[in-house]
């Protein structure tokens, strides 16, 4: 039985979510001490987190970052704040999805089931750590770390997903639509410029590692990870 950790300070919404979790056969726990959400998360060993933004003392973005330092479990934001910036910030801080209030509880359950299948189902990654290599460029997608020629830097969740998609199709173009599908389960609320922002950030980090000009724009299509002769020797 999967455990769901509900971090929502509106007791009515929290109780309703708890009720639905139980109805669908999940074990749910509601956060009590909003001053130390991380401790409660570690104590309950949740498989998935539902997280609001507006919380006492620290906001949901803060707690998302804290949880990410200890776990890669799915995190879904649930918030009445519907601005694109809030959605981008949630994803940037490690969230897997963003659901705006008011919402249908059936939609919440469908998204929870989808995230659990990805994380723990038949298509989940094995216990052995994965890594993708292109010469000296090495990505560890489960730790959000990329290295090149002995230098290492951290990536955000979305930057890691982006680089992974490009490395899997190395030397071949990946369409913008495909990248959006891979990075966001429902990308219709994502601004057209958002992907450009992540491409720019990824290029900057690779350049800082000494592997510059690796992400090339394929006009009218999308992007590709360019092959480098020196990396293939």
């Amino acid at each position: 039985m999967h455990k769901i950790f509900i971090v929502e300070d509106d007791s009515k919404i929290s109780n309703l979510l708890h009720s639905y979790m139980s109805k669908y056969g999940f074990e749910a726990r509601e956060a009590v001490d909003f001053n130390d959400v991380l401790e409660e998360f570690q104590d309950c060993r949740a498989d998935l987190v539902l997280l609001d933004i507006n919380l006492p003392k620290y906001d949901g973005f803060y707690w998302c970052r804290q949880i990410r330092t200890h776990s890669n479990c799915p995190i879904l934001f649930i918030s009445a704040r519907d601005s694109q910036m809030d959605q981008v910030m949630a994803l940037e801080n490690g969230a897997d999805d963003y659901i705006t209030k008011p919402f249908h509880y059936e939609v919440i359950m469908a998204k929870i089931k989808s995230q659990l299948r990805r994380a723990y189902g038949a298509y989940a990654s094995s216990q052995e750590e994965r890594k993708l290599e292109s010469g000296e460029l090495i990505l560890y997608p489960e730790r959000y770390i990329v290295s090149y020629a002995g230098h290492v830097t951290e990536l955000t969740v979305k930057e890691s997903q982006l680089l992974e998609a490009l490395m899997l199709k190395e030397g071949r173009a990946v369409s913008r639509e495909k990248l959006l599908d891979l990075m966001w389960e429902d990308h219709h609320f994502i601004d057209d410029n958002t992907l450009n922002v992540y491409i720019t950030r990824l290029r900057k980090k690779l350049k800082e590692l000494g592997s510059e000009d690796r992400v090339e724009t394929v006009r009218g299509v999308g992007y590709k990870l360019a092959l480098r002769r020196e990396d293939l020797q």
Side-chain angles (χ1 to χ4, degrees):
M1 180 184 295
H2 288 296
K3 297 180 180 178
I4 313 297
F5 185 40
I6 304 168
V7 187
E8 166 64 71
D9 63 336
D10 185 322
S11 59
K12 182 178 180 180
I13 294 177
S14 184
N15 291 338
L16 284 171
L17 286 169
H18 194 153
S19 177
Y20 265 84
M21 301 299 112
S22 300
K23 176 182 176 181
Y24 282 86
F26 296 114
E27 180 181 343
R29 173 167 169 174
E30 300 174 49
V32 177
D33 184 3
F34 292 99
N35 291 322
D36 203 343
V37 171
L38 179 60
E39 182 177 349
E40 288 197 33
F41 166 78
Q42 292 175 306
D43 181 60
C44 75
R45 298 180 180 180
D47 298 306
L48 181 145
V49 178
L50 292 177
L51 181 62
D52 192 11
I53 295 179
N54 296 324
L55 298 170
K57 192 170 183 179
Y58 299 111
D59 63 22
F61 301 134
Y62 171 83
W63 290 120
C64 187
R65 293 194 302 272
Q66 295 303 304
I67 291 171
R68 274 288 169 257
T69 63
H70 293 79
S71 173
N72 290 328
C73 78
I75 300 176
L76 281 69
F77 269 87
I78 49 173
S79 176
R81 290 162 57 168
D82 60 358
S83 74
Q84 290 183 350
M85 182 56 66
D86 285 320
Q87 295 165 15
V88 169
M89 285 182 63
L91 297 169
E92 182 72 17
N93 279 282
D96 296 281
D97 205 346
Y98 191 104
I99 306 168
T100 56
K101 302 173 184 175
F103 46 72
H104 294 288
Y105 287 91
E106 290 78 7
V107 173
I108 290 268
M109 295 311 307
K111 287 181 176 288
I112 286 175
K113 291 178 181 179
S114 174
Q115 291 294 339
L116 289 173
R117 283 195 301 270
R118 290 185 179 187
Y120 311 109
Y123 298 104
S125 59
S126 63
Q127 292 300 313
E128 183 178 350
E129 182 176 22
R130 294 189 303 119
K131 68 177 180 179
L132 285 76
E133 300 181 61
S134 174
E136 292 190 84
L137 184 68
I138 304 174
L139 171 67
Y140 300 90
E142 294 164 0
R143 287 189 287 151
Y144 315 123
I145 291 174
V146 62
S147 69
Y148 181 78
H151 302 286
V152 180
T153 191
E154 294 183 355
L155 301 174
T156 65
V157 175
K158 296 304 175 186
E159 289 167 353
S160 179
Q161 291 175 342
L162 175 57
L163 182 56
E164 179 177 1
L166 295 174
M167 291 184 75
L168 288 172
K169 297 286 188 179
E170 183 180 27
R172 292 172 287 171
V174 184
S175 70
R176 290 179 60 88
E177 187 73 15
K178 180 65 174 179
L179 291 172
L180 289 168
D181 283 339
L182 290 170
M183 295 171 67
W184 290 282
E185 183 173 338
D186 182 0
H187 64 261
H188 294 96
F189 64 81
I190 300 298
D191 185 85
D192 288 341
N193 191 51
T194 301
L195 181 57
N196 298 340
V197 172
Y198 281 102
I199 288 288
T200 299
R201 292 177 180 175
L202 179 59
R203 282 171 168 163
K204 181 180 179 181
K205 289 188 176 182
L206 292 178
K207 181 178 180 180
E208 291 172 349
L209 287 176
S211 182
E212 59 182 310
D213 299 327
R214 289 302 297 270
V215 179
E216 295 184 349
T217 300
V218 181
R219 295 191 180 279
V221 181
Y223 303 91
K224 71 176 181 179
L225 187 74
L227 295 168
R228 288 290 182 265
R229 184 177 301 173
E230 60 270 23
D231 286 336
L232 302 177
Q233 293 177 346

